[in-house]
Amino acid sequence: HVCLAIVWFFYLFVMGVKNKREGSKYVLIGGIVLLLTGINDILNTLWVIETIFLVPWGLMAFIFSQSAVLSIRFANTFHRAESLNQELTDTNQKLEDAYQKIVEKEKARTLFFHNTSHELRTPLNGIIGFAELVKNGRFGQLPKSAALQVGKIRNLADSLKMQVNTILDLAKAQKGELSLDISRIDLN
């Protein structure tokens, strides 16, 4: 009993000095009480001293000190868990807010592309139509060099219209409104 108390005391002393955590002093006090109780039992068994009234309660004091240490550590662990939970809740809320902002910005960007594409397509169709009328001689015959330049205007306007349509298709695809058109084409 006393040997166990001595080994336990030195273990508690080393751990108390090494860790210096909250509650270590209670472990050390409990170990001292257990050691003194053990020494008292040895001396009482050898008839060197007579046991006083409080000594039999030494083991109980040790157990209470251990209970105090466990309670303190449990409370600290519970407090840390609550703090971590609150941090996670705050982080999740920040992530949710950031996600909502991204969704709103994406909707605004898609709407901007959609509206801009429609607004650009109308004048382009007008340019293409008038260029075709001029090229075909609807407003009088053009010299060959002028007709060539009007043809270039028409080609550039067609190219710009194709780019605007691509932007419009991207906006539709992001909104989930793009439909697939399956058809045969001539590879030549």
Side-chain angles (χ1 to χ4, degrees):
H1 179 264
V2 174
C3 292
L4 179 62
I6 291 171
V7 171
W8 185 250
F9 170 73
F10 284 115
Y11 171 76
L12 294 175
F13 181 76
V14 169
M15 294 308 288
V17 169
K18 184 179 174 184
N19 290 335
K20 294 184 180 176
R21 284 194 279 178
E22 190 175 340
S24 295
K25 62 184 173 186
Y26 297 112
V27 172
L28 196 56
I29 291 169
I32 291 170
V33 169
L34 184 62
L35 180 67
L36 292 177
T37 303
I39 292 171
N40 181 65
D41 282 347
I42 289 174
L43 295 176
N44 186 36
T45 304
L46 297 174
W47 297 85
V48 175
I49 62 169
E50 192 173 318
T51 303
I52 59 174
F53 175 75
L54 296 177
V55 173
W57 295 95
L59 184 59
M60 194 59 88
F62 173 73
I63 291 171
F64 283 142
S65 68
Q66 294 301 308
S67 297
V69 169
L70 291 175
S71 296
I72 289 170
R73 288 187 179 166
F74 177 73
N76 288 340
T77 303
F78 184 74
H79 179 67
R80 278 189 300 234
E82 279 185 334
S83 297
L84 287 173
N85 187 29
Q86 185 60 43
E87 286 177 26
L88 286 174
T89 302
D90 293 345
T91 302
N92 285 343
Q93 185 61 44
K94 288 176 185 176
L95 288 173
E96 182 66 30
D97 292 345
Y99 176 75
Q100 289 300 325
K101 286 180 183 176
I102 290 171
V103 167
E104 289 173 10
K105 287 180 180 180
E106 183 61 28
K107 283 181 181 178
R109 187 179 72 89
T110 302
L111 183 64
F112 171 77
F113 283 140
H114 189 264
N115 289 341
T116 302
S117 297
H118 279 295
E119 294 298 322
L120 288 174
R121 225 184 332 183
T122 302
L124 278 173
N125 284 332
I127 292 170
I128 291 169
F130 284 117
E132 190 65 30
L133 289 174
V134 169
K135 184 180 173 191
N136 290 338
R138 182 74 178 216
F139 302 105
Q141 276 310 83
L142 289 178
K144 202 170 202 173
S145 62
L148 186 66
Q149 295 304 319
V150 171
K152 288 181 182 179
I153 292 172
R154 166 74 197 272
N155 290 338
L156 290 172
D158 281 336
S159 174
L160 185 57
K161 183 179 176 184
M162 187 170 33
Q163 290 176 5
V164 169
N165 286 337
T166 301
I167 292 172
L168 183 60
D169 287 344
L170 286 173
K172 282 182 180 180
Q174 287 181 342
K175 288 173 71 176
E177 298 175 354
L178 188 64
S179 61
L180 184 61
D181 184 22
I182 300 174
S183 61
R184 291 180 179 229
I185 60 168
D186 182 11
L187 292 178
N188 290 328

